[in-house]
Amino acid sequence: MGGIISLFLTSPTMRLSDLDEYAETMLAHSASPCGWRGQVQVFGAAKYAVRVQVGPNQLAARSIGLNEVEPRCATGT
């Protein structure tokens, strides 16, 4: 029978969103190869939402469809 491991991360220099990304990518994904079973959960995550307001008339004037906005925002074009 296994135990429970709890890790608490803080940083005086990293933003909370960067610390969350580190926990999600480095720690959570490295648990499986170590033979750990069960769940890896990250609490207190800082996920930021991006809201974009567009003008339908301005999009139409530039021949840009609403369905093209999200991919362009994701790529920065």
Side-chain angles (χ1 to χ4, degrees):
M1 183 170 179
I4 296 174
I5 297 175
S6 296
L7 297 174
F8 300 90
L9 303 176
T10 62
S11 173
T13 57
M14 291 178 74
R15 294 180 303 169
L16 186 55
S17 59
D18 294 333
L19 195 59
D20 171 62
E21 181 69 20
Y22 175 78
E24 291 281 353
T25 57
M26 299 301 290
L27 298 178
H29 292 280
S30 65
S32 298
C34 295
W36 297 354
R37 290 179 285 156
Q39 293 181 331
V40 175
Q41 297 176 331
V42 177
F43 296 100
K47 304 287 186 195
Y48 296 101
V50 175
R51 289 175 172 67
V52 177
Q53 186 173 2
V54 297
N57 295 334
Q58 288 83 0
L59 290 176
R62 292 170 177 82
S63 299
I64 300 173
L66 193 56
N67 61 324
E68 298 176 75
V69 174
E70 189 273 331
R72 288 187 182 198
C73 289
T75 60
T77 59

